[in-house]
Amino acid sequence: MTIELFIIIILSIAVIFFVFRLSRISKSIKEISGFLKEMSSGNLDARLFPKGKGGLDGIVMDIASLMEKTKTRLDFAETEMQRMEAILRGMSDGVLITDVRGMVILANQPFRSLMSVNDDIEGKQIMEVLRNAQLIDIFRRTLELKSVVSDEIIVSRPHKDMHLIATAVPVYSGNLVTGTVLTLHDITRLKQLEEMRKDFVANVSHEIKTPITAIKGFAETLLDGAMDDKENAVRFLGMIKSHSERLNSLVDDLLTLSRIELGDIPIKKTEVSVENVIDTVFMTLKEKADRKGLYLKKTIPDGTQTIYADKDKLIQVILNLVDNGIKFTEKGGVTVGIDETGGRITIYVHDTGIGVSPNHLHRLGERFYRVDRARSRELGGTGLGLAIVKHLVGAHGWNMRIESETGKGTMVNIIIDRYL
């Protein structure tokens, strides 16, 4: 074998080996290219398997390992994102997330409800979504100041305004603000309670001050010499007694209301005949109704069953309602009846009195709330009777609904679940 032939053989073997290796490398490159195309199209479940040793198989293994770890991290991030989104959507407060341009990324259902937004707002500009200048101003200030901005805003509603605490927090990526998180917390109920507290303090002060001032005035008059005038002295003492009784009734009602709210007055339910309760109330108030020439009537269907209630508290409820009916009725009378429909029992007290206009109905049952303060005070009311009724009804687990029309009387319905 000559040297030339040997060189030719060696070169041929080298070429064959090179072509073989090049084929394997080309195949590996094709596999890697196909794998990367699958991944770029969103198929994260694609896999890359090395076929053997040598060539690009080591690189293939490294790429496969890297992509497996990347997929694991992406799956974890997606799970965390879904969990966070579920938390945000399940919050009772309204939440709106935007990017730095004001594009809405996420808005949970409470936010949509609070802002009365029914459309799909994700992907829209915040200026399109929010029709509240205060909210938009809070969003802008957060981006400008790059800090938390919080303020109280008012959202108008047809029947009542809503009071909200709006808080905007900037979202950072490194040193750059990349978006905002806006939360809305409804404080309407707190505002209402604050107003009720203020009214309560003012009313208690006024109601207590009136009889105390009268008692003080009559006592001073007696001490200044009126005691020698027997006729006037007796009259003044009678006025002192009347105002002291009024003051005592007011304190008793306040204590009763407080004890009901604190749960110090237990509700002991037993089987109670509603007819017997009504008869007891009518017997107590008959003389008062007769003095005004009013009737007291009961309307009870045949076969009405007993209900589970605290008998003494039920008597107190019906007594207060019938007494109110007598106070504010000049002609006709008061009817107490029972209606059994839909698996429930409704005890109603209907008078033919002066009635109440619709704009006052929602406030009936508040402490010291009177539609006609002068008339109510003249009739000896403390302004707490209906509040006590409302709380006693609630303590039983029942509901109360009031219907009324000016000049046509008032009907108070106590709605009782048959099985409670």
PDB file of all heavy atoms in Angstrom, residues 377-413:
ATOM      1  N   ARG A 377     -94.425  64.379  72.514  1.00  0.00           N
ATOM      2  CA  ARG A 377     -94.060  64.738  73.884  1.00  0.00           C
ATOM      3  C   ARG A 377     -95.299  65.108  74.692  1.00  0.00           C
ATOM      4  O   ARG A 377     -95.421  64.796  75.867  1.00  0.00           O
ATOM      5  CB  ARG A 377     -93.069  65.915  73.840  1.00  0.00           C
ATOM      6  CG  ARG A 377     -92.352  66.141  75.158  1.00  0.00           C
ATOM      7  CD  ARG A 377     -91.284  67.211  75.025  1.00  0.00           C
ATOM      8  NE  ARG A 377     -90.164  66.708  74.234  1.00  0.00           N
ATOM      9  CZ  ARG A 377     -89.855  67.176  73.030  1.00  0.00           C
ATOM     10  NH1 ARG A 377     -90.568  68.150  72.494  1.00  0.00           N
ATOM     11  NH2 ARG A 377     -88.829  66.686  72.364  1.00  0.00           N
ATOM     12  N   GLU A 378     -96.242  65.770  74.033  1.00  0.00           N
ATOM     13  CA  GLU A 378     -97.492  66.155  74.693  1.00  0.00           C
ATOM     14  C   GLU A 378     -98.277  64.926  75.134  1.00  0.00           C
ATOM     15  O   GLU A 378     -98.930  64.932  76.179  1.00  0.00           O
ATOM     16  CB  GLU A 378     -98.327  66.996  73.715  1.00  0.00           C
ATOM     17  CG  GLU A 378     -99.658  67.462  74.257  1.00  0.00           C
ATOM     18  CD  GLU A 378    -100.489  68.153  73.184  1.00  0.00           C
ATOM     19  OE1 GLU A 378     -99.898  68.744  72.256  1.00  0.00           O
ATOM     20  OE2 GLU A 378    -101.716  68.083  73.273  1.00  0.00           O
ATOM     21  N   LEU A 379     -98.186  63.843  74.333  1.00  0.00           N
ATOM     22  CA  LEU A 379     -98.906  62.611  74.657  1.00  0.00           C
ATOM     23  C   LEU A 379     -98.157  61.733  75.650  1.00  0.00           C
ATOM     24  O   LEU A 379     -98.620  60.654  76.004  1.00  0.00           O
ATOM     25  CB  LEU A 379     -99.176  61.817  73.378  1.00  0.00           C
ATOM     26  CG  LEU A 379    -100.135  62.487  72.379  1.00  0.00           C
ATOM     27  CD1 LEU A 379    -100.145  61.733  71.068  1.00  0.00           C
ATOM     28  CD2 LEU A 379    -101.535  62.579  72.970  1.00  0.00           C
ATOM     29  N   GLY A 380     -96.979  62.189  76.075  1.00  0.00           N
ATOM     30  CA  GLY A 380     -96.250  61.458  77.110  1.00  0.00           C
ATOM     31  C   GLY A 380     -95.277  60.426  76.595  1.00  0.00           C
ATOM     32  O   GLY A 380     -94.770  59.620  77.371  1.00  0.00           O
ATOM     33  N   GLY A 381     -94.988  60.450  75.318  1.00  0.00           N
ATOM     34  CA  GLY A 381     -94.054  59.461  74.770  1.00  0.00           C
ATOM     35  C   GLY A 381     -92.609  59.824  75.041  1.00  0.00           C
ATOM     36  O   GLY A 381     -92.244  60.997  75.089  1.00  0.00           O
ATOM     37  N   THR A 382     -91.766  58.811  75.223  1.00  0.00           N
ATOM     38  CA  THR A 382     -90.334  59.052  75.449  1.00  0.00           C
ATOM     39  C   THR A 382     -89.543  58.991  74.149  1.00  0.00           C
ATOM     40  O   THR A 382     -88.368  59.361  74.122  1.00  0.00           O
ATOM     41  CB  THR A 382     -89.747  57.999  76.409  1.00  0.00           C
ATOM     42  OG1 THR A 382     -89.861  56.702  75.816  1.00  0.00           O
ATOM     43  CG2 THR A 382     -90.455  58.023  77.741  1.00  0.00           C
ATOM     44  N   GLY A 383     -90.172  58.501  73.082  1.00  0.00           N
ATOM     45  CA  GLY A 383     -89.456  58.354  71.819  1.00  0.00           C
ATOM     46  C   GLY A 383     -88.642  57.088  71.747  1.00  0.00           C
ATOM     47  O   GLY A 383     -87.839  56.901  70.834  1.00  0.00           O
ATOM     48  N   LEU A 384     -88.826  56.185  72.730  1.00  0.00           N
ATOM     49  CA  LEU A 384     -88.045  54.946  72.778  1.00  0.00           C
ATOM     50  C   LEU A 384     -88.895  53.687  72.623  1.00  0.00           C
ATOM     51  O   LEU A 384     -88.362  52.591  72.500  1.00  0.00           O
ATOM     52  CB  LEU A 384     -87.269  54.863  74.107  1.00  0.00           C
ATOM     53  CG  LEU A 384     -86.184  55.923  74.314  1.00  0.00           C
ATOM     54  CD1 LEU A 384     -85.668  55.870  75.743  1.00  0.00           C
ATOM     55  CD2 LEU A 384     -85.050  55.732  73.333  1.00  0.00           C
ATOM     56  N   GLY A 385     -90.221  53.859  72.643  1.00  0.00           N
ATOM     57  CA  GLY A 385     -91.107  52.692  72.606  1.00  0.00           C
ATOM     58  C   GLY A 385     -90.903  51.825  71.378  1.00  0.00           C
ATOM     59  O   GLY A 385     -90.741  50.599  71.478  1.00  0.00           O
ATOM     60  N   LEU A 386     -90.879  52.459  70.202  1.00  0.00           N
ATOM     61  CA  LEU A 386     -90.732  51.685  68.970  1.00  0.00           C
ATOM     62  C   LEU A 386     -89.323  51.112  68.843  1.00  0.00           C
ATOM     63  O   LEU A 386     -89.140  50.043  68.257  1.00  0.00           O
ATOM     64  CB  LEU A 386     -91.054  52.577  67.759  1.00  0.00           C
ATOM     65  CG  LEU A 386     -91.456  51.836  66.470  1.00  0.00           C
ATOM     66  CD1 LEU A 386     -92.608  50.878  66.719  1.00  0.00           C
ATOM     67  CD2 LEU A 386     -91.837  52.835  65.383  1.00  0.00           C
ATOM     68  N   ALA A 387     -88.319  51.814  69.399  1.00  0.00           N
ATOM     69  CA  ALA A 387     -86.955  51.282  69.404  1.00  0.00           C
ATOM     70  C   ALA A 387     -86.878  50.008  70.248  1.00  0.00           C
ATOM     71  O   ALA A 387     -86.224  49.029  69.868  1.00  0.00           O
ATOM     72  CB  ALA A 387     -85.981  52.329  69.935  1.00  0.00           C
ATOM     73  N   ILE A 388     -87.577  50.010  71.387  1.00  0.00           N
ATOM     74  CA  ILE A 388     -87.616  48.811  72.245  1.00  0.00           C
ATOM     75  C   ILE A 388     -88.306  47.663  71.513  1.00  0.00           C
ATOM     76  O   ILE A 388     -87.842  46.527  71.532  1.00  0.00           O
ATOM     77  CB  ILE A 388     -88.328  49.132  73.583  1.00  0.00           C
ATOM     78  CG1 ILE A 388     -87.465  50.083  74.417  1.00  0.00           C
ATOM     79  CG2 ILE A 388     -88.621  47.849  74.359  1.00  0.00           C
ATOM     80  CD1 ILE A 388     -88.148  50.597  75.670  1.00  0.00           C
ATOM     81  N   VAL A 389     -89.417  47.983  70.832  1.00  0.00           N
ATOM     82  CA  VAL A 389     -90.130  46.966  70.056  1.00  0.00           C
ATOM     83  C   VAL A 389     -89.213  46.364  68.999  1.00  0.00           C
ATOM     84  O   VAL A 389     -89.127  45.141  68.845  1.00  0.00           O
ATOM     85  CB  VAL A 389     -91.383  47.576  69.384  1.00  0.00           C
ATOM     86  CG1 VAL A 389     -91.958  46.620  68.346  1.00  0.00           C
ATOM     87  CG2 VAL A 389     -92.437  47.897  70.434  1.00  0.00           C
ATOM     88  N   LYS A 390     -88.533  47.219  68.272  1.00  0.00           N
ATOM     89  CA  LYS A 390     -87.640  46.775  67.197  1.00  0.00           C
ATOM     90  C   LYS A 390     -86.564  45.835  67.728  1.00  0.00           C
ATOM     91  O   LYS A 390     -86.265  44.795  67.121  1.00  0.00           O
ATOM     92  CB  LYS A 390     -86.995  47.995  66.529  1.00  0.00           C
ATOM     93  CG  LYS A 390     -86.080  47.661  65.368  1.00  0.00           C
ATOM     94  CD  LYS A 390     -85.507  48.942  64.768  1.00  0.00           C
ATOM     95  CE  LYS A 390     -84.526  48.627  63.649  1.00  0.00           C
ATOM     96  NZ  LYS A 390     -83.953  49.883  63.079  1.00  0.00           N
ATOM     97  N   HIS A 391     -85.980  46.174  68.875  1.00  0.00           N
ATOM     98  CA  HIS A 391     -84.911  45.353  69.433  1.00  0.00           C
ATOM     99  C   HIS A 391     -85.448  44.045  70.008  1.00  0.00           C
ATOM    100  O   HIS A 391     -84.789  43.005  69.900  1.00  0.00           O
ATOM    101  CB  HIS A 391     -84.160  46.132  70.513  1.00  0.00           C
ATOM    102  CG  HIS A 391     -83.166  47.106  69.955  1.00  0.00           C
ATOM    103  ND1 HIS A 391     -83.538  48.313  69.403  1.00  0.00           N
ATOM    104  CD2 HIS A 391     -81.811  47.042  69.830  1.00  0.00           C
ATOM    105  CE1 HIS A 391     -82.459  48.953  68.985  1.00  0.00           C
ATOM    106  NE2 HIS A 391     -81.406  48.207  69.226  1.00  0.00           N
ATOM    107  N   LEU A 392     -86.633  44.078  70.612  1.00  0.00           N
ATOM    108  CA  LEU A 392     -87.222  42.845  71.141  1.00  0.00           C
ATOM    109  C   LEU A 392     -87.597  41.893  70.006  1.00  0.00           C
ATOM    110  O   LEU A 392     -87.408  40.672  70.117  1.00  0.00           O
ATOM    111  CB  LEU A 392     -88.452  43.159  71.990  1.00  0.00           C
ATOM    112  CG  LEU A 392     -88.197  43.724  73.392  1.00  0.00           C
ATOM    113  CD1 LEU A 392     -89.512  44.077  74.073  1.00  0.00           C
ATOM    114  CD2 LEU A 392     -87.414  42.723  74.245  1.00  0.00           C
ATOM    115  N   VAL A 393     -88.116  42.450  68.916  1.00  0.00           N
ATOM    116  CA  VAL A 393     -88.443  41.632  67.746  1.00  0.00           C
ATOM    117  C   VAL A 393     -87.172  40.993  67.188  1.00  0.00           C
ATOM    118  O   VAL A 393     -87.136  39.804  66.873  1.00  0.00           O
ATOM    119  CB  VAL A 393     -89.145  42.493  66.661  1.00  0.00           C
ATOM    120  CG1 VAL A 393     -89.229  41.733  65.338  1.00  0.00           C
ATOM    121  CG2 VAL A 393     -90.549  42.868  67.124  1.00  0.00           C
ATOM    122  N   GLY A 394     -86.094  41.800  67.079  1.00  0.00           N
ATOM    123  CA  GLY A 394     -84.818  41.274  66.590  1.00  0.00           C
ATOM    124  C   GLY A 394     -84.236  40.227  67.516  1.00  0.00           C
ATOM    125  O   GLY A 394     -83.640  39.246  67.059  1.00  0.00           O
ATOM    126  N   ALA A 395     -84.402  40.410  68.830  1.00  0.00           N
ATOM    127  CA  ALA A 395     -83.883  39.444  69.801  1.00  0.00           C
ATOM    128  C   ALA A 395     -84.576  38.091  69.674  1.00  0.00           C
ATOM    129  O   ALA A 395     -83.999  37.045  69.988  1.00  0.00           O
ATOM    130  CB  ALA A 395     -84.052  39.991  71.219  1.00  0.00           C
ATOM    131  N   HIS A 396     -85.803  38.086  69.182  1.00  0.00           N
ATOM    132  CA  HIS A 396     -86.531  36.831  68.943  1.00  0.00           C
ATOM    133  C   HIS A 396     -86.099  36.168  67.629  1.00  0.00           C
ATOM    134  O   HIS A 396     -86.456  35.020  67.374  1.00  0.00           O
ATOM    135  CB  HIS A 396     -88.047  37.094  68.879  1.00  0.00           C
ATOM    136  CG  HIS A 396     -88.725  37.122  70.219  1.00  0.00           C
ATOM    137  ND1 HIS A 396     -88.739  38.231  71.010  1.00  0.00           N
ATOM    138  CD2 HIS A 396     -89.409  36.165  70.901  1.00  0.00           C
ATOM    139  CE1 HIS A 396     -89.411  37.978  72.117  1.00  0.00           C
ATOM    140  NE2 HIS A 396     -89.834  36.726  72.089  1.00  0.00           N
ATOM    141  N   GLY A 397     -85.372  36.907  66.794  1.00  0.00           N
ATOM    142  CA  GLY A 397     -85.009  36.382  65.472  1.00  0.00           C
ATOM    143  C   GLY A 397     -86.088  36.639  64.435  1.00  0.00           C
ATOM    144  O   GLY A 397     -86.099  35.994  63.378  1.00  0.00           O
ATOM    145  N   TRP A 398     -86.969  37.585  64.721  1.00  0.00           N
ATOM    146  CA  TRP A 398     -88.057  37.924  63.796  1.00  0.00           C
ATOM    147  C   TRP A 398     -87.707  39.187  63.020  1.00  0.00           C
ATOM    148  O   TRP A 398     -86.656  39.798  63.229  1.00  0.00           O
ATOM    149  CB  TRP A 398     -89.361  38.155  64.573  1.00  0.00           C
ATOM    150  CG  TRP A 398     -89.801  37.012  65.434  1.00  0.00           C
ATOM    151  CD1 TRP A 398     -89.458  35.693  65.286  1.00  0.00           C
ATOM    152  CD2 TRP A 398     -90.657  37.082  66.582  1.00  0.00           C
ATOM    153  NE1 TRP A 398     -90.047  34.931  66.264  1.00  0.00           N
ATOM    154  CE2 TRP A 398     -90.799  35.752  67.085  1.00  0.00           C
ATOM    155  CE3 TRP A 398     -91.333  38.102  67.238  1.00  0.00           C
ATOM    156  CZ2 TRP A 398     -91.566  35.455  68.200  1.00  0.00           C
ATOM    157  CZ3 TRP A 398     -92.102  37.813  68.354  1.00  0.00           C
ATOM    158  CH2 TRP A 398     -92.216  36.497  68.821  1.00  0.00           C
ATOM    159  N   ASN A 399     -88.602  39.580  62.134  1.00  0.00           N
ATOM    160  CA  ASN A 399     -88.436  40.808  61.352  1.00  0.00           C
ATOM    161  C   ASN A 399     -89.645  41.723  61.554  1.00  0.00           C
ATOM    162  O   ASN A 399     -90.749  41.242  61.846  1.00  0.00           O
ATOM    163  CB  ASN A 399     -88.290  40.492  59.859  1.00  0.00           C
ATOM    164  CG  ASN A 399     -86.992  39.769  59.567  1.00  0.00           C
ATOM    165  OD1 ASN A 399     -85.919  40.232  59.927  1.00  0.00           O
ATOM    166  ND2 ASN A 399     -87.078  38.617  58.913  1.00  0.00           N
ATOM    167  N   MET A 400     -89.413  43.011  61.367  1.00  0.00           N
ATOM    168  CA  MET A 400     -90.500  43.987  61.515  1.00  0.00           C
ATOM    169  C   MET A 400     -90.560  44.856  60.266  1.00  0.00           C
ATOM    170  O   MET A 400     -89.534  45.303  59.752  1.00  0.00           O
ATOM    171  CB  MET A 400     -90.264  44.863  62.755  1.00  0.00           C
ATOM    172  CG  MET A 400     -91.416  45.819  63.045  1.00  0.00           C
ATOM    173  SD  MET A 400     -91.218  46.685  64.634  1.00  0.00           S
ATOM    174  CE  MET A 400     -90.020  47.934  64.195  1.00  0.00           C
ATOM    175  N   ARG A 401     -91.759  45.067  59.762  1.00  0.00           N
ATOM    176  CA  ARG A 401     -91.962  45.926  58.594  1.00  0.00           C
ATOM    177  C   ARG A 401     -93.102  46.894  58.894  1.00  0.00           C
ATOM    178  O   ARG A 401     -94.153  46.484  59.393  1.00  0.00           O
ATOM    179  CB  ARG A 401     -92.299  45.086  57.358  1.00  0.00           C
ATOM    180  CG  ARG A 401     -92.390  45.919  56.069  1.00  0.00           C
ATOM    181  CD  ARG A 401     -92.726  45.068  54.857  1.00  0.00           C
ATOM    182  NE  ARG A 401     -94.109  44.614  54.855  1.00  0.00           N
ATOM    183  CZ  ARG A 401     -94.488  43.369  55.036  1.00  0.00           C
ATOM    184  NH1 ARG A 401     -93.594  42.423  55.243  1.00  0.00           N
ATOM    185  NH2 ARG A 401     -95.765  43.032  55.028  1.00  0.00           N
ATOM    186  N   ILE A 402     -92.883  48.171  58.587  1.00  0.00           N
ATOM    187  CA  ILE A 402     -93.891  49.198  58.872  1.00  0.00           C
ATOM    188  C   ILE A 402     -94.426  49.756  57.561  1.00  0.00           C
ATOM    189  O   ILE A 402     -93.660  50.110  56.661  1.00  0.00           O
ATOM    190  CB  ILE A 402     -93.293  50.342  59.721  1.00  0.00           C
ATOM    191  CG1 ILE A 402     -92.727  49.790  61.036  1.00  0.00           C
ATOM    192  CG2 ILE A 402     -94.358  51.402  60.013  1.00  0.00           C
ATOM    193  CD1 ILE A 402     -92.029  50.826  61.891  1.00  0.00           C
ATOM    194  N   GLU A 403     -95.753  49.810  57.467  1.00  0.00           N
ATOM    195  CA  GLU A 403     -96.415  50.401  56.311  1.00  0.00           C
ATOM    196  C   GLU A 403     -97.303  51.540  56.821  1.00  0.00           C
ATOM    197  O   GLU A 403     -97.977  51.384  57.832  1.00  0.00           O
ATOM    198  CB  GLU A 403     -97.279  49.362  55.585  1.00  0.00           C
ATOM    199  CG  GLU A 403     -96.516  48.119  55.140  1.00  0.00           C
ATOM    200  CD  GLU A 403     -97.449  47.005  54.698  1.00  0.00           C
ATOM    201  OE1 GLU A 403     -98.577  47.323  54.266  1.00  0.00           O
ATOM    202  OE2 GLU A 403     -97.055  45.828  54.803  1.00  0.00           O
ATOM    203  N   SER A 404     -97.258  52.657  56.105  1.00  0.00           N
ATOM    204  CA  SER A 404     -98.055  53.792  56.575  1.00  0.00           C
ATOM    205  C   SER A 404     -98.333  54.766  55.438  1.00  0.00           C
ATOM    206  O   SER A 404     -97.610  54.798  54.439  1.00  0.00           O
ATOM    207  CB  SER A 404     -97.328  54.525  57.714  1.00  0.00           C
ATOM    208  OG  SER A 404     -98.163  55.501  58.290  1.00  0.00           O
ATOM    209  N   GLU A 405     -99.405  55.536  55.627  1.00  0.00           N
ATOM    210  CA  GLU A 405     -99.763  56.573  54.666  1.00  0.00           C
ATOM    211  C   GLU A 405    -100.405  57.713  55.442  1.00  0.00           C
ATOM    212  O   GLU A 405    -101.247  57.479  56.326  1.00  0.00           O
ATOM    213  CB  GLU A 405    -100.731  56.023  53.616  1.00  0.00           C
ATOM    214  CG  GLU A 405    -100.982  56.968  52.465  1.00  0.00           C
ATOM    215  CD  GLU A 405    -101.852  56.341  51.392  1.00  0.00           C
ATOM    216  OE1 GLU A 405    -102.034  55.097  51.410  1.00  0.00           O
ATOM    217  OE2 GLU A 405    -102.371  57.091  50.545  1.00  0.00           O
ATOM    218  N   THR A 406     -99.962  58.907  55.139  1.00  0.00           N
ATOM    219  CA  THR A 406    -100.448  60.074  55.876  1.00  0.00           C
ATOM    220  C   THR A 406    -101.980  60.170  55.817  1.00  0.00           C
ATOM    221  O   THR A 406    -102.571  60.108  54.742  1.00  0.00           O
ATOM    222  CB  THR A 406     -99.835  61.363  55.302  1.00  0.00           C
ATOM    223  OG1 THR A 406     -98.412  61.249  55.309  1.00  0.00           O
ATOM    224  CG2 THR A 406    -100.229  62.566  56.141  1.00  0.00           C
ATOM    225  N   GLY A 407    -102.577  60.252  56.997  1.00  0.00           N
ATOM    226  CA  GLY A 407    -104.026  60.394  57.093  1.00  0.00           C
ATOM    227  C   GLY A 407    -104.799  59.095  56.990  1.00  0.00           C
ATOM    228  O   GLY A 407    -106.025  59.084  57.147  1.00  0.00           O
ATOM    229  N   LYS A 408    -104.103  57.981  56.726  1.00  0.00           N
ATOM    230  CA  LYS A 408    -104.806  56.705  56.552  1.00  0.00           C
ATOM    231  C   LYS A 408    -104.328  55.617  57.521  1.00  0.00           C
ATOM    232  O   LYS A 408    -104.685  54.453  57.367  1.00  0.00           O
ATOM    233  CB  LYS A 408    -104.646  56.216  55.117  1.00  0.00           C
ATOM    234  CG  LYS A 408    -105.316  57.128  54.099  1.00  0.00           C
ATOM    235  CD  LYS A 408    -105.270  56.535  52.704  1.00  0.00           C
ATOM    236  CE  LYS A 408    -105.993  57.412  51.708  1.00  0.00           C
ATOM    237  NZ  LYS A 408    -105.962  56.858  50.334  1.00  0.00           N
ATOM    238  N   GLY A 409    -103.530  55.998  58.488  1.00  0.00           N
ATOM    239  CA  GLY A 409    -103.130  55.038  59.502  1.00  0.00           C
ATOM    240  C   GLY A 409    -101.806  54.353  59.231  1.00  0.00           C
ATOM    241  O   GLY A 409    -101.156  54.564  58.209  1.00  0.00           O
ATOM    242  N   THR A 410    -101.443  53.483  60.183  1.00  0.00           N
ATOM    243  CA  THR A 410    -100.150  52.784  60.146  1.00  0.00           C
ATOM    244  C   THR A 410    -100.358  51.310  60.466  1.00  0.00           C
ATOM    245  O   THR A 410    -101.195  50.967  61.312  1.00  0.00           O
ATOM    246  CB  THR A 410     -99.179  53.406  61.174  1.00  0.00           C
ATOM    247  OG1 THR A 410     -98.984  54.780  60.872  1.00  0.00           O
ATOM    248  CG2 THR A 410     -97.833  52.690  61.161  1.00  0.00           C
ATOM    249  N   MET A 411     -99.602  50.464  59.779  1.00  0.00           N
ATOM    250  CA  MET A 411     -99.634  49.027  60.071  1.00  0.00           C
ATOM    251  C   MET A 411     -98.214  48.556  60.359  1.00  0.00           C
ATOM    252  O   MET A 411     -97.312  48.730  59.541  1.00  0.00           O
ATOM    253  CB  MET A 411    -100.222  48.222  58.916  1.00  0.00           C
ATOM    254  CG  MET A 411    -100.223  46.709  59.192  1.00  0.00           C
ATOM    255  SD  MET A 411    -100.845  45.727  57.807  1.00  0.00           S
ATOM    256  CE  MET A 411    -102.587  46.081  57.899  1.00  0.00           C
ATOM    257  N   VAL A 412     -98.021  47.966  61.538  1.00  0.00           N
ATOM    258  CA  VAL A 412     -96.733  47.389  61.906  1.00  0.00           C
ATOM    259  C   VAL A 412     -96.867  45.869  61.807  1.00  0.00           C
ATOM    260  O   VAL A 412     -97.732  45.269  62.455  1.00  0.00           O
ATOM    261  CB  VAL A 412     -96.317  47.793  63.332  1.00  0.00           C
ATOM    262  CG1 VAL A 412     -94.976  47.165  63.688  1.00  0.00           C
ATOM    263  CG2 VAL A 412     -96.244  49.313  63.452  1.00  0.00           C
ATOM    264  N   ASN A 413     -96.015  45.256  60.993  1.00  0.00           N
ATOM    265  CA  ASN A 413     -96.049  43.804  60.786  1.00  0.00           C
ATOM    266  C   ASN A 413     -94.866  43.144  61.475  1.00  0.00           C
ATOM    267  O   ASN A 413     -93.712  43.535  61.254  1.00  0.00           O
ATOM    268  CB  ASN A 413     -95.980  43.486  59.280  1.00  0.00           C
ATOM    269  CG  ASN A 413     -97.136  44.085  58.512  1.00  0.00           C
ATOM    270  OD1 ASN A 413     -98.239  43.568  58.517  1.00  0.00           O
ATOM    271  ND2 ASN A 413     -96.882  45.212  57.854  1.00  0.00           N
TER     272      ASN A 413
END
